[in-house]
Amino acid sequence: MLRLEKVTGKNVWDILKLHVKDDQKNFVADNDISIIEAYTAIVGGGTAFPFGLYDYDTAVGFLMIGYDTDDCWENPPKIAQNNYSLWRLMIDWRYQHRGYGRAAVALALDFIRTMPCGNAEYCWLSYEPENSCAKHLYHAFGFHETGEMDGEEIIAVLKL
């Protein structure tokens, strides 16, 4: 059964060992970069929730949730203000195609709906235009594109 576990000094090395397939590396940042971004967001006045995705005691992926903006983020999309984001999602190459991605999004949305940082109207995310697997997964949960971009990535939103 998949569960979220906060990234700590006890499990960070498990998370850093996880990687996507070579042909997916353009779709998601490496976990070390994501954890650094979480730290810099937090010290910059923002909010980040980095989680390991565990199936029992086995680390199978990484997920990060954000809220609002921070002082390090240049030109954030308007949707970021006072809303939650599914900032990162990756499933290790060895555990893909087992339903973990779908379960992870469900867990993320369950967590977000507790409104840990206060009320918000939307959850948003972004993905590379050529990442059809991500698009299909997010559409299955009701995310829809806004026509806006975050850099080179398509922005999609879900009303909470």
Side-chain angles (χ1 to χ4, degrees), residues 47-50 64-69 80 83-88 111-112 117 122-124:
T47 303
F49 298 95
M64 190 159 67
I65 294 166
Y67 177 77
D68 204 13
T69 62
N83 285 306
Y84 291 91
S85 64
L86 180 47
W87 190 350
R88 287 284 148 64
F111 177 82
I112 288 167
C117 299
Y122 296 101
C123 176
W124 72 280

Side-chain angles (χ1 to χ4, degrees), residues 10-97:
K10 293 182 179 179
N11 66 5
V12 69
W13 298 109
D14 292 341
I15 306 305
L16 293 176
K17 292 176 187 174
L18 303 175
H19 301 282
V20 294
K21 295 176 185 175
D22 285 343
D23 64 346
Q24 297 170 325
K25 288 186 177 188
N26 290 333
F27 296 156
V28 64
D30 289 336
N31 293 340
D32 56 350
I33 299 300
S34 295
I35 292 168
I36 291 167
E37 288 179 344
Y39 175 80
T40 58
I42 292 166
V43 298
T47 303
F49 298 95
F51 293 107
L53 295 167
Y54 280 80
D55 187 0
Y56 296 96
D57 291 335
T58 303
V60 300
F62 175 80
L63 175 123
M64 190 159 67
I65 294 166
Y67 177 77
D68 204 13
T69 62
D70 61 70
D71 63 4
C72 297
W73 196 356
E74 294 182 27
N75 303 316
K78 290 179 186 175
I79 191 69
Q81 282 195 308
N82 300 312
N83 285 306
Y84 291 91
S85 64
L86 180 47
W87 190 350
R88 287 284 148 64
L89 172 61
M90 70 80 64
I91 304 297
D92 184 87
W93 67 274
R94 296 167 293 175
Y95 303 104
Q96 292 179 7
H97 306 290

